[in-house]
Amino acid sequence: MNFQRIAIVLFVLLAAGLAGSFYFSWKTLTRLRTVQAFVESSVFADAVAACERAPSSTPFKWSGKTAVIGLSSVKLDKNIVSASYTLVADSVYCDYDPVGKRAYIGSNFLERE
């Protein structure tokens, strides 16, 4: 009888722990999406201006057929993570480095490195 009670209590505690874990994971992901949206909106104007000023054989013009890929990150090695903000306009993409304030323009988004 005691074994059954202990098993039931352990099962209830396990279920409560999993529910709490999922709740805190959901709250954390929601906050991270909010922070990402805030950072993307604050970088957007700088990214468009830098992309339009960048020298390239295929000029980048922010017009009607556009897409914002948004922030992404590349892990260069185990200690360095580099942020990048990508914009696509008329099949021309622009990778903007928000830390270095530099833009890199390419002509084919699918064949980039």
Side-chain angles (χ1 to χ4, degrees):
M1 191 67 151
N2 283 337
F3 177 74
Q4 289 177 342
R5 288 182 184 165
I6 291 172
I8 291 171
V9 168
L10 287 176
F11 181 74
V12 168
L13 287 175
L14 179 67
L18 284 174
S21 173
F22 285 124
Y23 173 75
F24 286 117
S25 175
W26 172 73
K27 288 295 278 185
T28 302
L29 289 176
T30 302
R31 287 182 185 205
L32 286 175
R33 279 190 297 253
T34 303
V35 169
Q36 181 180 4
F38 174 76
V39 170
E40 285 181 353
S41 66
S42 66
V43 171
F44 177 75
D46 292 338
V48 170
C51 289
E52 287 182 342
R53 285 192 315 264
S56 174
S57 61
T58 56
F60 184 88
K61 297 294 179 198
W62 191 249
S63 63
K65 297 180 182 177
T66 58
V68 176
I69 305 299
L71 280 177
S72 60
S73 61
V74 176
K75 191 167 188 176
L76 301 176
D77 61 27
K78 67 178 188 173
N79 297 323
I80 299 173
V81 176
S82 175
S84 175
Y85 192 85
T86 305
L87 301 168
V88 179
D90 296 329
S91 300
V92 176
Y93 73 91
C94 177
D95 285 330
Y96 175 69
D97 177 15
V99 176
K101 306 281 186 198
R102 292 184 302 264
Y104 307 98
I105 296 176
S107 60
N108 191 341
F109 181 73
L110 297 176
E111 293 178 4
R112 71 184 187 153
E113 295 179 6

